[in-house]
Amino acid sequence: MPRNQFPNILLIMSDEHAPMYSGPYGHPLVQTPNMDRLAENGITFENAYCNSPLCMPSRMSFMTGRYIHKIGAWDNAAPLRPDAVTWAHHLRSAGYDVVLSGKQHFGGMDQLHGYRTQLARDLHAERQHGLTDWEKGTPPAARPWQGLAGAGPGTTKEIEIDDLAEVQAITYLRETHRKDQPWVLNVSFIAPHFPLVVPQRFWDLYPIDEIDMPNIPDGHLENQHPVYQRMRGMFGCIDFPEELVRCARIGYYGLITYLDEKIGNLLETLEETGQLENTIVIYTSDHGEMNGEHGMWRKSNFYEASVRIPLQIMFPDRLQAGRRIAEVVSLVDLTATLVDFSGDQEFSQLDGESLLPLIHDPNLNWKDSAFSEYLAHGVQRPMAMYREGKYKYNYSLGDPPELYDISKDPDEFDNLADKNEYQEICNSLALKLLEQWDPIEIEKQVCESQKARLLIDRTTKGQWRKHT
């Protein structure tokens, strides 16, 4: 494709947005008029997943199109290697101006990994993250998670950084020479990631007595899978008072509407500058947020609210407006799609498949599967998920498996793994998962990496063992 025929790409990425908390995915309360607009005028993927439900691993997998066990992006303190090829490299090689405004959570010295420049700031990349040590297991937290107690109206450093990312992105789009070269603008917001604090006008949209409560059946937490019981303990997820839960959900919903307004401002800028018709607009997130469901907050697990993500693609007059795609996809497939846009057909080190054939052919025989893994804090051994069609299979090394029929049990309360009539399905999905993922070898690699980084951290801080 000649360079002057390349469409522009506006890639909007949020942090910690579970798709079920938005209009396009059916929530009755959360106000998302601009995500609704993307759904009305573009394509919405109903079953999209991240490849690791944690910020940095998910984003490094997305940047490279590779699973985290292949690139060593184990946790929030394991930066991407400087020689890793990203979709940003591919698109710049094809002639795009590729820039970032906001968060992409790069650790280490390289804060670009193929982008030409950072227009704003990456607050989470500026912060030092604690190191994971599986040898310590999953000890209970010393106090309840403070995210709920801190929820309320106001502003935070995160809000200031997101506002900056929006301003800088709009300034970029308004520059008169934008039409001289095709561009990719990745605007990446921290919202709706905690802290659950949002400006007053967004907080006021959600009266506390109208807020829905998490759906937790009697006896569920007592019989919950052991990996999640341990995680709840380690993350300090206690039985919080109802008022705190409602306030936390107000904060989360308000942040989603705050984010949605920014999406609208970016779309409006494209319209005003005459660039909308030649711009592919993509909205997605790095992972979800439990929001109190199953007694859990934050992410780091394979429940739908944690591992499922929104994915919407709009290209006016080029893609079928209002279409919904039910097939299972994941972020590495979006990466392959971006590489597909670059015209680079020779690069084969991708774990995903381009979504373009699925978008253009509703009858395509798509793989209909997604893989995700988690190798960080909150667990003590490797865990992974494999979804194929309507079934989701969860594996945690040393624990019993889980199997859910998402079509019949979207809230994942009925574990089918120990039921005789589902053994064939369970064994089939286990085989497909373990064919591509060796938990014993991965555990060895993760533990070696943890020990090396812990040693470096100790010596850097001037700590060493005393000789006896």
Side-chain angles (χ1 to χ4, degrees):
M1 181 184 295
R3 270 188 59 212
N4 59 3
Q5 294 182 20
F6 279 139
N8 303 314
I9 302 172
L10 173 62
L11 171 61
I12 305 169
M13 183 172 247
S14 62
D15 193 335
E16 206 151 303
H17 183 198
M20 60 283 297
Y21 301 110
S22 67
Y25 292 88
H27 200 277
L29 295 178
V30 182
Q31 300 175 36
T32 53
N34 295 293
M35 295 179 201
D36 294 342
R37 176 183 175 184
L38 293 178
E40 292 166 5
N41 297 291
I43 292 175
T44 298
F45 290 83
E46 297 178 337
N47 292 291
Y49 290 84
C50 68
N51 300 107
S52 185
L54 186 65
C55 295
M56 190 187 291
S58 177
R59 289 168 181 268
M60 298 310 99
S61 177
F62 166 62
M63 289 304 303
T64 60
R66 309 202 70 195
Y67 297 136
I68 64 171
H69 69 273
K70 296 184 179 181
I71 58 175
W74 315 115
D75 51 48
N76 278 345
L80 187 64
R81 298 193 318 268
D83 62 344
V85 176
T86 69
W87 60 259
H89 289 117
H90 285 287
L91 287 161
R92 283 187 72 187
S93 177
Y96 278 91
D97 184 39
V98 185
V99 299
L100 171 64
S101 186
K103 175 175 178 173
Q104 205 49 277
H105 211 153
F106 293 128
M109 298 296 292
D110 190 345
Q111 289 293 302
L112 292 176
H113 285 285
Y115 294 99
R116 177 176 62 81
T117 190
Q118 163 70 270
L119 301 176
R121 285 176 61 188
D122 188 340
L123 181 66
H124 286 181
E126 296 171 8
R127 293 174 172 172
Q128 185 173 5
H129 297 277
L131 298 175
T132 301
D133 186 357
W134 280 357
E135 286 192 354
K136 294 182 178 179
T138 52
R143 62 174 184 169
W145 185 55
Q146 296 299 293
L148 280 74
T155 191
T156 61
K157 177 61 72 174
E158 286 79 2
I159 293 290
E160 294 173 7
I161 296 299
D162 276 357
D163 288 348
L164 175 65
E166 177 193 5
V167 168
Q168 294 296 87
I170 288 175
T171 299
Y172 175 88
L173 292 174
R174 290 189 182 282
E175 291 173 344
T176 56
H177 59 279
R178 268 315 125 233
K179 297 181 181 180
D180 297 341
Q181 180 185 8
W183 50 261
V184 180
L185 173 59
N186 181 187
V187 192
S188 196
F189 298 110
I190 301 171
H193 190 290
F194 60 85
L196 301 171
V197 176
V198 69
Q200 186 76 53
R201 65 188 179 94
F202 296 100
W203 182 272
D204 291 343
L205 293 173
Y206 299 99
I208 191 168
D209 59 350
E210 296 180 9
I211 296 300
D212 54 338
M213 287 290 289
N215 177 22
I216 305 175
D218 290 342
H220 172 60
L221 299 185
E222 292 78 8
N223 297 298
Q224 196 174 27
H225 190 278
V227 74
Y228 299 141
Q229 293 199 38
R230 295 192 297 266
M231 186 176 289
R232 280 195 291 115
M234 189 172 184
F235 286 176
C237 296
I238 64 168
D239 183 13
F240 291 102
E242 180 175 325
E243 184 176 0
L244 277 185
V245 173
R246 289 185 185 272
C247 285
R249 286 166 80 97
I250 290 175
Y252 188 57
Y253 296 170
L255 284 166
I256 293 169
T257 304
Y258 163 83
L259 162 72
D260 184 84
E261 182 176 274
K262 294 191 178 308
I263 294 174
N265 292 339
L266 291 167
L267 295 177
E268 183 178 333
T269 303
L270 289 178
E271 285 185 304
E272 291 177 354
T273 58
Q275 298 180 91
L276 183 62
E277 297 303 313
N278 191 43
T279 300
I280 298 168
V281 179
I282 302 170
Y283 170 62
T284 192
S285 195
D286 56 357
H287 50 73
E289 158 65 58
M290 289 304 296
N291 200 31
E293 301 296 336
H294 296 276
M296 305 180 77
W297 297 85
R298 300 160 60 178
K299 54 276 184 179
S300 305
N301 63 74
F302 298 130
Y303 283 125
E304 290 286 275
S306 169
V307 74
R308 208 169 123 225
I309 54 170
L311 178 56
Q312 298 178 275
I313 302 178
M314 183 180 78
F315 194 10
D317 300 325
R318 314 286 183 93
L319 298 179
Q320 182 180 345
R323 185 177 165 207
R324 302 183 71 87
I325 294 179
E327 281 84 353
V328 178
V329 303
S330 73
L331 276 178
V332 291
D333 298 319
L334 178 57
T335 312
T337 309
L338 292 169
V339 173
D340 204 356
F341 287 141
S342 77
D344 189 348
Q345 303 298 326
E346 298 181 2
F347 196 79
S348 60
Q349 285 187 318
L350 295 171
D351 290 317
E353 298 180 20
S354 174
L355 297 169
L356 294 183
L358 178 60
I359 289 172
H360 294 301
D361 182 5
N363 299 314
L364 181 72
N365 185 24
W366 178 253
K367 61 181 179 178
D368 202 23
S369 64
F371 165 80
S372 188
E373 58 193 317
Y374 188 74
L375 306 165
H377 56 288
V379 300
Q380 54 195 17
R381 306 192 77 182
M383 55 186 292
M385 177 209 85
Y386 184 77
R387 170 146 186 206
E388 183 176 80
K390 65 181 183 178
Y391 291 107
K392 179 197 285 189
Y393 176 82
N394 297 337
Y395 179 99
S396 173
L397 185 59
D399 290 312
E402 296 175 275
L403 178 69
Y404 298 100
D405 182 341
I406 301 300
S407 65
K408 295 179 180 179
D409 179 28
D411 293 325
E412 300 165 285
F413 293 133
D414 187 13
N415 183 6
L416 307 173
D418 57 356
K419 297 185 178 181
N420 291 334
E421 61 268 37
Y422 290 95
Q423 288 310 297
E424 184 176 347
I425 294 170
C426 198
N427 293 337
S428 173
L429 296 182
L431 180 62
K432 291 179 180 180
L433 171 65
L434 296 174
E435 280 179 342
Q436 61 177 322
W437 188 79
D438 182 347
I440 302 299
E441 175 59 27
I442 290 170
E443 181 177 49
K444 176 183 176 183
Q445 293 179 25
V446 171
C447 290
E448 288 177 350
S449 174
Q450 289 177 359
K451 290 177 181 178
R453 286 180 284 148
L454 287 164
L455 174 61
I456 293 170
D457 184 64
R458 287 196 303 271
T459 55
T460 301
K461 293 177 179 177
Q463 301 170 1
W464 54 86
R465 292 194 305 270
K466 293 182 179 180
H467 294 285
T468 57

